[in-house]
Structures are given as C-alpha cells and as structure tokens.
Amino acid sequence: MDLVIKKNALVVPQTLYKDFGAGMGQFAHGVVRDQGDPDYFAHMRNGKAFINEKLQARHLQEQPEKLAGKWLYLGGLHNHFGHFLAECIHRIWAWHEYRDQCSGVLFLPNIKQFELGHHLPGYSKAILDFLGLEESAIRYVTQLTEVEELLVPEPGSQLFVAAKADYIKFLATLKLAQRLHREALPSGYTPKVFVSRKKYRMNGSIAGLDVLENSLQQEGYFIFYPENYPIAVQLKVYQEAEKIIFEEGSAVHLLELFAKIKADVLLIKRRPSSRSFDCVFKPRTKCYIKYIDVMTPPPLTSAKFADVNALSLTDLDNLGRFLVTHGFASAALAIPPDWRDKVKADILGYLLKNARLESPSMDEFIIDYLQSIDDFFQQTDKPA
C-alpha cells in the first residue's frame, strides 16, 4: 500500500456542521493537496476523494497552529459505530510500519463532539487496541494545523470498495484468534448465530422479524444482541461461529477486523440497493449469501436519510424457504402462520413513533405509506 511523506503539510479539521453526515459537497477536512498529491489526502469513499476544495480553501485563511516533528495522519473520526469501522480505521496499517519514526498519530474528530468531551467512545478504544494503536499515541486536530513532517498512508479499505489484498495480509498479522483464545463465550452460545436487531426494530429493521428469531432459536441458533457485549466478546462469537445470519446493520462492520471469516454468512438486507456489506464479506469468506426480497415503504418524512431508519417488509414464509434452501435451517423450520399479525403490530408502532401529524404534508406521506403496506399484503396472497 502507498504512503506519501509531506513537509509542512496543512491539515484541515472537521468543521462543526459539515463533513460526515452532510454529503460529499460539504467535506472539507483532510490534508491540503498540491499538484501531484494523491486523492487519498482527502477522505475516500467508493474510490473517490470526498472533498469540496472551495470549501476547504476558506479554512486556509486562518493562521495555522504549528506542530513540530513527524506524525502519521489517520483522517477523520466518525462518531457512529458502523461508520467508524467502515471509514476511520483503514490507515492504521502504517502505524505498525512507521511508529518508531513518529511522535504519534493525528485524528480529526467531530469538533462539536470533541468540545463536549466525547473524544473516543469505549468501543473505539477497544477497536483501536485490537489494531495495535494505543490511545496515548493520538493527538486530536481541531484547528488548521501545519505539520512539520506528515506521513499520509493510503486507506487499505473504503466504504463501498473491497479491502486491498495487502490490507487483508496486514489484518492477518493481528492474529485475532490467538488474542481471543482466553475470551469466554456468552452463556448458551452455539456455533449457529443469529445477529438480531430486535432492540432497533423501530430504527431500521424488518417488520415482524422477531417471529423468525423465535423460529431460529428452535433450530438451535444462538440469538445474539451484540450491543450487550464488549468488543472482545463480539469478536469471539464471530470467530467461533460456523453459520451466521445477520440482519443488515452496523454490527456487520466489526468483521472488518478479520482477515478471514470461517463461518458461512447469510445477510438479510433491509435496503436491497445498499452494497456496503459486500465489501466486508467477499474478501473474507467463501460462503456469502444475500436475501434481498424486501420491500421498503415510502418514508414518512422528507428529512435527509429518512430511508436509513425505515421499517422494511418481507414475506416471512418466503424468507424461511430461502434459509432452508441455502442450508441455514432444516426443513422443519416453522414460521408461525400468523406472522402477519406481528408485522402489523410493528407497522403500527412505527407509525406511532414517526408520524408527525402537525406536518402540513403528513396526510400525503401517510396515504403513500399505507398504500404500499396494502400492496405488500396483497402480494402475500393474504390481505391485511
């Protein structure tokens, strides 16, 4: 993987209301590029530099803070679990090669979060520890800074882009299996694991999926709620698994710490067009299957990213057959015939939580939403 050493490098921090979560046109943070400098001086997604250079240039009028010595640039910090793993850790490979030459590493936090004292959540510290980066080596950049000598490494992976072969080799040197050897598995663990979003059913999930959870438990699956466990235990659960069924969600990204996943993996997608998880699984496991026969009703608001937290719908009889066909359940898998009642209950809960009756356009949103719900039940041949 590539790395550039830049003298007197200007580093632009994240801004208060821009960068992560604001769209490509609002990205300003990164190392200021001169002609010939690589794209990865900026934040990278989908093989592209996420940077608005005109916006970045506005911050260059400030007087920069001077930072002496040689430092390693690691980029922006996202305060969301999944995005932290998918976008903020893939330059750390260079710390293993250049740590003896550097005073430390530079991270660019969300300034608002930083000022509130939330420098690094506990899960971030644990993840960085597994990657061999101690917190004491981190210096946070929150204002324009000129660095005497800066090492800027290429990210070994990106959101929507599969990890490079050399990066997978780096992950193998972490020897996670050996480090997790003494970690205890949760009580009741079996090597067949269903990773549940039950506690997030109203915040981006599939209606009625608790029914499948109960059925899989009868099949001998360990029902795993990763948010209840430390990072080390989560890693141990995945390390020892033979089969894993995921509901699409941020928990998937923890597997980005593995060089290889020995388990067969099935992902139940709630956003069929999303492809971010393909890049996690395809370089790491021989058996990766996706269930995509899912319908997402229109959002109940015009707010940005409203679809991210949508409650999607699927025919659970069809999903059950899919699991049997692909060897993730036996022919005896029993999906209760009244699963539609659970779907209806979740839909009602979602409406009560998200409908804003005071909004002038809410009637239109609800009509479109309910029409799509009715279409779904019509298609399952058992009308609501």
Side-chain angles (χ1 to χ4, degrees):
M1 287 174 287
D2 195 23
L3 179 141
V4 171
I5 300 176
K6 192 171 182 67
K7 303 279 190 179
N8 303 318
L10 281 172
V11 179
V12 176
Q14 285 197 63
T15 49
L16 187 57
Y17 295 111
K18 299 181 177 70
D19 295 296
F20 288 117
M24 182 177 181
Q26 298 299 312
F27 269 68
H29 81 264
V31 183
V32 177
R33 290 184 290 178
D34 294 318
Q35 188 172 6
D37 286 332
D39 285 350
Y40 61 75
F41 273 34
H43 186 73
M44 298 295 293
R45 279 185 189 167
N46 203 23
K48 299 177 182 177
F50 259 50
I51 187 70
N52 182 328
E53 291 181 338
K54 289 183 179 179
L55 184 62
Q56 185 183 73
R58 297 177 195 171
H59 299 279
L60 303 184
Q61 301 172 20
E62 306 168 11
Q63 186 65 30
E65 178 184 90
K66 302 283 187 176
L67 181 59
K70 181 183 288 189
W71 294 81
L72 179 66
Y73 177 78
L74 295 185
L77 279 174
H78 201 300
N79 55 10
H80 177 279
F81 179 85
H83 283 278
F84 173 76
L85 282 158
E87 304 200 66
C88 304
I89 64 173
H90 302 309
R91 300 180 196 255
I92 293 175
W93 65 266
W95 180 240
H96 289 248
E97 295 188 28
Y98 297 94
R99 64 184 301 158
D100 292 340
Q101 303 178 30
C102 297
S103 301
V105 306
L106 303 183
F107 262 134
L108 283 53
N110 177 289
I111 290 177
K112 184 176 182 180
Q113 292 291 323
F114 187 87
E115 290 176 345
L116 291 172
H118 303 309
H119 299 189
L120 273 182
Y123 68 77
S124 297
K125 296 178 185 178
I127 290 164
L128 294 180
D129 181 64
F130 274 104
L131 289 166
L133 175 61
E134 58 274 21
E135 189 180 14
S136 60
I138 299 173
R139 181 185 179 100
Y140 299 100
V141 175
T142 59
Q143 64 184 67
L144 181 66
T145 301
E146 183 180 302
V147 185
E148 182 179 3
E149 192 170 5
L150 187 64
L151 280 66
V152 187
E154 174 187 18
S157 183
Q158 301 172 32
L159 189 63
F160 305 122
V161 176
K164 294 178 177 291
D166 285 346
Y167 186 69
I168 294 294
K169 290 178 182 178
F170 156 69
L171 292 175
T173 68
L174 301 178
K175 298 181 178 179
L176 282 187
Q178 293 180 24
R179 296 172 64 184
L180 295 167
H181 178 67
R182 296 183 180 276
E183 196 67 45
L185 288 162
S187 175
Y189 177 82
T190 73
K192 295 196 299 183
V193 178
F194 177 67
V195 185
S196 173
R197 284 180 62 83
K198 183 175 182 177
K199 297 181 180 179
Y200 302 96
R201 193 64 70 220
M202 297 296 114
N203 294 282
S205 190
I206 297 176
L209 216 57
D210 297 359
V211 168
L212 177 66
E213 183 173 314
N214 295 337
S215 298
L216 288 174
Q217 197 164 23
Q218 297 300 313
E219 286 271 313
Y221 273 81
F222 174 67
I223 309 302
F224 186 46
Y225 307 106
E227 66 276 8
N228 292 345
Y229 297 91
I231 293 298
V233 176
Q234 294 181 44
L235 290 169
K236 181 75 170 184
V237 164
Y238 302 140
Q239 172 68 36
E240 297 300 318
E242 296 173 2
K243 291 186 183 296
I244 309 175
I245 301 174
F246 278 98
E247 288 190 56
E248 178 189 337
S250 292
V252 170
H253 286 292
L254 190 60
L255 279 76
E256 298 205 37
L257 296 184
F258 288 101
K260 182 180 180 181
I261 303 166
K262 69 178 184 181
D264 296 341
V265 176
L266 189 147
L267 177 67
I268 303 170
K269 295 180 70 71
R270 56 186 167 89
R271 296 171 293 179
S273 61
S274 174
R275 53 193 170 86
S276 58
F277 300 111
D278 294 355
C279 302
V280 177
F281 291 120
K282 285 184 176 180
R284 293 172 170 87
T285 184
K286 292 181 179 178
C287 178
Y288 167 48
I289 298 166
K290 294 181 291 184
Y291 176 81
I292 62 172
D293 191 8
V294 174
M295 177 265 238
T296 302
L300 287 170
T301 171
S302 58
K304 195 173 185 179
F305 305 124
D307 60 326
V308 172
N309 294 324
L311 185 68
S312 298
L313 305 169
T314 193
D315 183 327
L316 291 181
D317 288 327
N318 184 55
L319 175 54
R321 288 189 292 270
F322 186 89
L323 296 177
V324 173
T325 297
H326 291 280
F328 282 81
S330 74
L333 178 71
I335 303 295
D338 61 349
W339 60 263
R340 292 167 183 79
D341 292 339
K342 177 58 181 170
V343 171
K344 294 171 191 175
D346 284 348
I347 291 168
L348 178 59
Y350 183 77
L351 278 168
L352 291 174
K353 180 178 185 294
N354 292 282
R356 299 290 180 263
L357 299 180
E358 69 278 6
S359 171
S361 57
M362 183 49 62
D363 285 352
E364 182 178 344
F365 279 117
I366 290 180
I367 289 170
D368 289 345
Y369 184 84
L370 292 179
Q371 180 60 58
S372 70
I373 299 297
D374 183 64
D375 290 345
F376 165 75
F377 282 111
Q378 295 269 359
Q379 291 166 12
T380 62
D381 295 326
K382 292 188 178 180

